[in-house]
Amino acid sequence: MKLLVQRVLNAEVKVDGNVVGKIGKGFLVLVGITHTDTKETVDFLAKKLCNLRVFEDEMGKMNLSIKDVKGELLIVSQFTLYADCSSGNRPSFTNAAKAEIANELYKYFMNECEIEYGIHVEHGIFGAEMKVSLLNDGPVTIELEK
C-alpha cells in the first residue's frame, strides 16, 4: 500500500462537475493498493498517517499531527501509484490490486482514520474519473508505504 500525502490548506474532488469531497486544512491522501495488502497493512498506515507530525508548532517546527491541529482528510483512490514504467513508455498497472479488493481496503482505510483516530474524512468515488484540486501548504508532500 502506498500513500502520497500532501499537506494542504484546502482540497476538493469533483466527479462529473460536482464536488463530492472537500476539506480545509489537512491532508490530501492519494491511496494505492497492491495485491499483497491486508487489513494489517491498512492499520499500520492509518496509524502512521494520523500520527504523522508535519504541521508546524508555535516555534515553526514540524511537530504537530493532523489530530493536534484538528485537520481533515480528503482520501482519493489512486491505482496509478502502482504504475510500472520500467519497460517501454506505456505504464503497466498489473501491480495494482483488483478493484473489488482495492475498494474493500480503501473503505476500511477511510473508516479506520475516522473511527479509530477521530479525524473527519471526505473522499472521492472509487473508480470514477475525478478532478482533484488543492492548495499545497509548504509545499509538503510525503510518500508512506508498507
Side-chain angles (χ1 to χ4, degrees):
M1 185 172 182
K2 290 182 186 180
L3 306 180
L4 189 62
V5 181
Q6 296 181 300
R7 188 178 76 182
V8 299
L9 294 176
N10 59 68
E12 71 178 20
V13 60
K14 292 182 179 180
V15 175
D16 296 327
N18 299 310
V19 175
V20 296
K22 184 176 183 175
I23 64 167
K25 183 177 186 171
F27 291 144
L28 167 63
V29 184
L30 304 178
V31 178
I33 298 170
T34 192
H35 308 289
T36 56
D37 291 334
T38 63
K39 287 184 175 180
E40 290 76 25
T41 309
V42 172
D43 291 342
F44 175 86
L45 285 172
K47 181 178 181 181
K48 180 67 81 173
L49 174 69
C50 295
N51 290 293
L52 188 64
R53 295 175 12 193
V54 297
F55 290 93
E56 294 177 356
D57 63 16
E58 63 280 347
M59 303 297 287
K61 189 172 191 173
M62 282 194 210
N63 201 28
L64 301 175
S65 72
I66 193 165
K67 294 184 299 183
D68 296 328
V69 299
K70 297 178 179 31
E72 302 173 289
L73 295 171
L74 177 56
I75 300 176
V76 178
S77 63
Q78 186 75 47
F79 77 93
T80 60
L81 290 176
Y82 277 100
D84 179 357
C85 299
S86 61
S87 182
N89 294 319
R90 185 174 184 272
S92 167
F93 300 107
T94 58
N95 292 330
K98 301 237 182 277
E100 306 80 42
I101 295 166
N103 192 22
E104 179 184 324
L105 290 175
Y106 172 67
K107 288 177 181 176
Y108 180 74
F109 178 70
M110 291 186 295
N111 190 61
E112 282 297 291
C113 292
E114 192 153 43
I115 303 303
E116 183 69 26
Y117 296 98
I119 300 170
H120 177 74
V121 173
E122 295 277 322
H123 56 86
I125 297 176
F126 186 89
E129 178 74 26
M130 294 176 273
K131 304 298 182 208
V132 180
S133 59
L134 68 132
L135 181 56
N136 198 318
D137 183 19
V140 173
T141 303
I142 295 174
E143 183 180 27
L144 301 174
E145 186 172 9
K146 173 137 171 81

